[in-house]
Amino acid sequence: GALTSATEEASRIDATRELYRPVAALGRVIYLLIVDVAALSPMYTISLEQFLEVYEASFRRADKAVLVEKRVENLVEALRYQSTCYMHRSMFWQHRTPWTLMLAMRVEAHAGTLFQSAIEALLHTGAELLSIAAERTKPLPWIPDRVWLNIIQLSRKVEVFKELPEVINRNDILCTALDP
């Protein structure tokens, strides 16, 4: 009777609540990024209360949807947009691009689609290589040594770029046409 109905309703509510977890997880990722960005300048310090205003505004501004999955998708998009607009309004111009890159990287890392090896390759690519002479020959002389070393290192560290040096070698006719 009533107890079974209440148990079923509680289970349904729990299942629906779980569907909204990606929005809460994104909120956590964004807030922790905001805390970290304060290291760039103390003027970027934002209280949890201020962030919650942005978070709640994203719920009001996100497109409504009949399906919970679509509503969650809309909320995620609105939260990314609202938080970026909020941060950009308070940032110096030169800090806006790093903010956007850091947000994208944190979101992708949280989703499991950006791995630490890719982040390290982005931050340290080529730095570990000591000599251009010790690596394969550049296909075109106008490619700067540092860029070629970065390409080599990226191909070693990030699976999706494994074939990049070969692709550049195979397309040297196209690259020659682009020769500055």
Side-chain angles (χ1 to χ4, degrees), residues 24 31 34-35 48 57 63 65 70 72 82 90 92-93 96 98 105 109 115 120 123 134-135 145 157 166 170 172:
Y31 182 71
I34 289 170
V35 169
L48 178 58
D63 291 338
K70 181 64 176 164
V72 168
Q82 290 297 129
S90 68
F92 289 121
W93 183 256
R96 290 178 180 179
M105 289 175 65
F115 302 103
E120 288 175 12
L123 297 176
E135 299 303 327
D145 290 352
K157 296 254 183 179
E166 287 75 26
R170 283 194 307 266
D172 66 346

Side-chain angles (χ1 to χ4, degrees), residues 66-158:
V66 176
L67 297 175
V68 174
E69 293 83 359
K70 181 64 176 164
R71 175 68 174 155
V72 168
E73 185 180 307
N74 294 344
L75 288 169
V76 164
E77 184 63 31
L79 181 55
R80 286 181 188 170
Y81 179 78
Q82 290 297 129
S83 58
T84 297
C85 288
Y86 186 84
M87 291 303 294
H88 278 196
R89 277 193 300 271
S90 68
M91 290 184 147
F92 289 121
W93 183 256
Q94 67 268 24
H95 293 151
R96 290 178 180 179
T97 300
W99 157 265
T100 305
L101 176 62
M102 290 169 58
L103 176 60
M105 289 175 65
R106 297 264 179 112
V107 167
E108 295 301 318
H110 177 76
T113 55
L114 180 65
F115 302 103
Q116 190 62 33
S117 62
I119 295 169
E120 288 175 12
L122 177 65
L123 297 176
H124 305 292
T125 300
E128 298 168 4
L129 301 175
L130 300 175
S131 169
I132 189 77
E135 299 303 327
R136 70 177 79 169
T137 307
K138 308 185 288 189
L140 300 160
W142 59 264
I143 298 175
D145 290 352
R146 181 78 174 162
V147 171
W148 186 245
L149 291 175
N150 287 341
I151 290 168
I152 299 284
Q153 193 68 354
L154 190 61
S155 72
R156 292 177 181 162
K157 296 254 183 179
V158 182

